[in-house]
């Protein structure tokens, strides 16, 4: 008779494909059986009345990223991944950022120093390329891709990160030859600078004007430009954090044309609006919601749901990018009070991503349970070279599992959360559906909000090439 280290018994197992009543047998950190009436395990957990789903994979989080002279992030690996497991996640993929002038390889080495021994969940690194020199493109990137850093992000805005069109084309070309997947932040740098200067001249400097300075047209134009560059170089791309109809329709147009353009959206684009940034005085709470692209309006929520339901978007990520609200390091720091352009850009959300999508998506009848799993776990694993190790519940997969109470009603409150930030932009939001246990490779690391795991439980994941990236001609290698 087969014996198991752990049996999760009597739950409803949900994958991207199926929903079945089954037990899950785990040995050596892996799933070895899914079926009815499994023989007893050394340890047993009852999942009666609960959903048994693959742990969330959040493929877009920012942890311990260099601050460029601005306030430091509120989360390093320890608090950020603690928050992740509390929210039912088992893998995150943050970004190793290359500051201009620095070696990309050295930036990756430094980022390992930030993460080694500190993570509560498994993690890989995307790369952020801010300085695509010939050494970076010719030597560092190909070698890093070979070492398992198989995706990178480029930016069309932000002073310290923006690339020119020519540089983006060069990065895409490099991605083509090494088989990496390129994520693109699509907002137009010049248009935002133009708008920012106009607004400041008119003394419109409160946090709300952050949203006015980067309207949907600015995102739509950059999205179209990125798609055109991808078409020219014949390289698949992932457009990240799509905020509303204008950009969503660009993705749909490209996909209908047969281009390999993939899409990501985030909780803030179905749960927040630009009005949240109001409170037109510098000391009111608008800064709590400053992120890029900014949240739009409720009709944009409908557009995002349309994109989710029709398959325009493959992934639903948090874009967790946490800053403090209060204090010298916070969103209201003295410099930030002089103009919206200095308000630290980004919001926390790794711990609330699953609840928001479950509540607004599954409970309100917009998506199925299986689509929920695909959008929060399976598609991230497939897109970023972690499948079939992560992202499903079947023999051979890592036993990364969340037990989910589909009926639990909660009000999101800062005091429930485990991140380093001192606020949540979703304070007061009522949700149905909540994670009650998280297992990382078979180890119970969270139960009812209590963290049972340790920093260092999580291991670094060298990722395979994405099957969605450009195929590499291996005959040349
Ligand atoms: O506001 C945001 N999203 N900050 C994080 C950086 C990024 O562009 O993803
Ligand atoms: Zn971005
Ligand atoms: Zn981001």
């Amino acid at each position: 008779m087969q014996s198991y280290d752990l049996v999760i018994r009597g739950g409803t197992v949900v994958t991207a494909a199926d929903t079945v009543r089954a037990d899950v047998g785990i040995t050596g950190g892996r799933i070895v059986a899914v079926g009815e009436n499994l023989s007893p395990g050394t340890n047993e957990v009852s999942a009666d009345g609960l959903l048994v789903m693959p742990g969330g994979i959040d493929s877009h989080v920012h942890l311990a990223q260099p601050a460029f002279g601005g306030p430091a992030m509120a989360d390093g690996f320890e608090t950020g991944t603690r928050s992740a497991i509390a929210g039912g996640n088992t893998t995150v993929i943050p970004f190793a950022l290359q500051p201009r002038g620095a070696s990309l390889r050295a930036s990756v080495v430094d980022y390992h120093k930030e993460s080694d021994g500190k993570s509560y969940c498994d993690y890989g690194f995307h790369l952020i390329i801010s300085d695509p020199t010939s050494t970076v493109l010719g030597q560092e990137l190909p070698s890093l891709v070979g070492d398992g850093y198989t995706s990178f992000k480029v930016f069309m805005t932000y002073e310290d990160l923006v690339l020119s069109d020519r540089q983006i084309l060069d990065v895409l070309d490099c991605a083509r030859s090494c088989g990496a997947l390129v994520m693109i932040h699509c907002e137009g740098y010049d248009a935002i600078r133009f708008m920012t200067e106009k607004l400041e001249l008119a003394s419109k400097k409160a946090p709300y004007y952050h949203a006015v300075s980067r309207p949907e047209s600015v995102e739509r134009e950059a999205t179209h430009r990125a798609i055109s560059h991808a078409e020219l170089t014949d390289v698949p791309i992932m457009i990240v954090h799509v905020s509303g109809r204008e950009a969503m329709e660009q993705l749909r147009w490209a996909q209908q044309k047969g281009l390999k353009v993939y899409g990501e959206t985030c909780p803030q684009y179905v749960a927040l609006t630009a009005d949240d940034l109001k409170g037109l005085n510098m000391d009111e709470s608008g800064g709590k919601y400053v992120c890029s692209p900014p949240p739009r309006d409720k009709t944009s929520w409908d557009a995002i749901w349309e994109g989710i339901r029709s398959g325009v978007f493959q992934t639903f990520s948090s874009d967790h990018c946490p800053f403090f609200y209060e204090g010298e390091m916070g969103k209201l720091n003295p410099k930030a009070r002089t103009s919206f352009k200095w308000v630290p850009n980004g919001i926390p959300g790794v711990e609330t991503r699953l609840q928001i999508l479950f509540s607004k998506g599954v409970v309100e009848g917009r998506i199925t349970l299986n689509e929920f799993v695909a959008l929060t776990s399976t598609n991230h694993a497939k897109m970023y070279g972690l499948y079939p190790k992560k992202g499903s519940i079947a023999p051979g997969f890592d036993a990364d599992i969340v037990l989910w109470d589909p009926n639990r009603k909660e009000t999101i409150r800062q005091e429930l959360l485990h991140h380093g930030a001192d606020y949540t932009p979703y304070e007061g939001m009522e949700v149905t559906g909540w994670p009650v246990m998280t297992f990382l490779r078979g180890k119970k690391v969270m139960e009812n909000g209590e963290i049972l795991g340790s920093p260092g439980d999580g291991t670094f994941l060298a990722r395979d090439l994405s099957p969605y990236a450009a195929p590499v001609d291996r005959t040349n290698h």
Side-chain angles (χ1 to χ4, degrees):
M1 191 163 64
Q2 168 101 47
S3 70
Y4 306 103
D5 295 344
L6 168 68
V7 175
I8 298 174
R9 198 173 289 285
T12 300
V13 175
V14 186
T15 66
D18 299 301
T19 306
V20 287
R21 284 295 298 262
D23 306 331
V24 180
I26 295 162
T27 293
R30 287 189 162 196
I31 297 165
V32 291
V34 179
E36 285 180 319
N37 302 319
L38 295 188
S39 53
T42 310
N43 293 297
E44 294 261 333
V45 167
S46 168
D48 205 21
L50 301 176
L51 304 179
V52 181
M53 302 192 283
I57 300 175
D58 195 339
S59 60
H60 189 154
V61 302
H62 303 267
L63 304 173
Q65 229 171 255
F68 297 121
M73 283 188 168
D75 277 321
F77 272 81
E78 198 164 322
T79 56
T81 59
R82 181 181 73 192
S83 183
I85 59 167
N89 302 282
T90 46
T91 298
V92 295
I93 315 184
F95 298 82
L97 183 152
Q98 173 206 26
R100 287 214 178 107
S103 136
L104 191 53
R105 175 65 76 173
S107 309
V108 168
V109 170
D110 287 348
Y111 208 47
H112 275 292
K113 288 184 196 144
E114 290 288 346
S115 59
D116 287 356
K118 295 192 189 144
S119 186
Y120 284 89
C121 65
D122 285 353
Y123 59 98
F125 294 168
H126 306 289
L127 310 173
I128 287 177
I129 300 159
S130 69
D131 201 359
T133 61
S134 53
T135 311
V136 167
L137 297 178
Q139 294 164 32
E140 293 197 313
L141 269 178
S143 129
L144 285 162
V145 170
D147 291 346
Y149 310 89
T150 53
S151 47
F152 26 91
K153 183 173 176 192
V154 293
F155 289 80
M156 300 172 82
T157 189
Y158 296 149
E159 210 63 54
D160 301 297
L161 299 174
V162 60
L163 300 190
S164 69
D165 286 338
R166 173 57 199 259
Q167 289 175 313
I168 291 171
L169 287 163
D170 287 336
V171 171
L172 289 170
D173 201 36
C174 173
R176 185 172 212 298
S177 58
C178 50
L181 187 65
V182 183
M183 310 157 81
I184 309 192
H185 178 127
C186 298
E187 290 185 294
Y189 173 72
D190 283 328
I192 292 168
R193 283 216 331 178
F194 169 81
M195 288 298 288
T196 301
E197 282 169 24
K198 288 254 180 225
L199 287 163
E200 286 185 329
L201 273 172
S203 296
K204 295 181 169 173
K205 298 180 184 176
Y208 172 67
Y209 295 105
H210 169 80
V212 180
S213 74
R214 40 219 310 155
E216 281 202 66
S217 60
V218 168
E219 185 186 4
R220 181 236 298 144
E221 178 279 325
T223 303
H224 187 83
R225 196 154 31 103
I227 290 167
S228 304
H229 294 344
E231 183 177 13
L232 194 67
T233 48
D234 190 20
V235 181
I237 52 169
M238 163 62 82
I239 310 276
V240 292
H241 46 49
V242 173
S243 73
R245 179 166 299 284
E246 295 278 337
M248 186 278 283
E249 287 184 344
Q250 292 298 309
L251 268 76
R252 185 157 61 194
W253 169 81
Q255 290 165 356
Q256 284 172 354
K257 233 167 109 69
L259 298 174
K260 290 185 177 155
V261 172
Y262 306 109
E264 172 201 82
T265 192
C266 313
Q268 49 270 38
Y269 306 121
V270 292
L272 301 177
T273 69
D275 279 352
D276 289 316
L277 278 78
K278 281 186 176 157
L280 290 171
N281 296 323
M282 283 301 182
D283 57 354
E284 291 183 37
S285 63
K288 286 183 178 173
Y289 309 92
V290 166
C291 62
S292 299
R296 308 293 182 187
D297 58 18
K298 288 193 176 168
T299 59
S300 301
W301 296 2
D302 296 336
I304 295 298
W305 285 116
E306 196 180 308
I308 290 174
R309 294 175 65 157
S310 62
V312 169
F313 300 118
Q314 289 70 47
T315 56
F316 189 86
S317 310
S318 67
D319 194 4
H320 178 80
C321 187
F323 292 95
F324 293 103
Y325 179 60
E326 305 282 353
E328 289 292 294
M329 298 292 280
K331 294 236 181 196
L332 288 179
N333 71 72
K335 193 171 172 188
R337 285 168 186 264
T338 66
S339 168
F340 62 85
K341 79 174 177 213
W342 301 119
V343 177
N345 206 323
I347 57 176
V350 71
E351 195 169 341
T352 43
R353 172 183 72 125
L354 298 182
Q355 297 88 323
I356 291 172
L357 186 66
F358 192 88
S359 201
K360 286 182 171 278
V362 179
V363 177
E364 294 182 19
R366 295 186 174 95
I367 57 171
T368 66
L369 271 176
N370 311 96
E371 287 166 339
F372 172 80
V373 170
L375 285 159
T376 55
S377 181
T378 314
N379 291 354
H380 300 252
K382 289 183 173 173
M383 192 64 65
Y384 295 109
L386 291 171
Y387 200 83
K389 182 180 168 69
K390 306 282 190 190
S392 193
I393 296 186
F397 280 80
D398 281 357
D400 292 349
I401 292 172
V402 58
L403 301 194
W404 188 270
D405 183 344
N407 300 313
R408 180 161 155 191
K409 292 188 189 309
E410 253 333 323
T411 303
I412 296 178
R413 284 173 289 126
Q414 166 68 5
E415 68 205 63
L416 288 179
L417 304 181
H418 300 73
H419 56 202
D422 55 357
Y423 80 100
T424 165
Y426 304 108
E427 185 74 35
M429 188 177 157
E430 290 174 6
V431 291
T432 302
W434 201 262
V436 294
M437 268 183 235
T438 308
F439 294 87
L440 177 68
R441 283 176 276 105
K443 175 178 173 180
K444 194 197 290 177
V445 291
M446 185 280 289
E447 182 166 10
N448 285 321
E450 189 187 348
I451 303 296
L452 305 173
S454 315
D457 281 346
T459 57
F460 174 73
L461 302 165
R463 291 175 292 119
D464 294 336
L465 292 181
S466 166
Y468 295 87
V472 177
D473 181 0
R474 297 197 180 278
T475 55
N476 291 333
H477 289 257

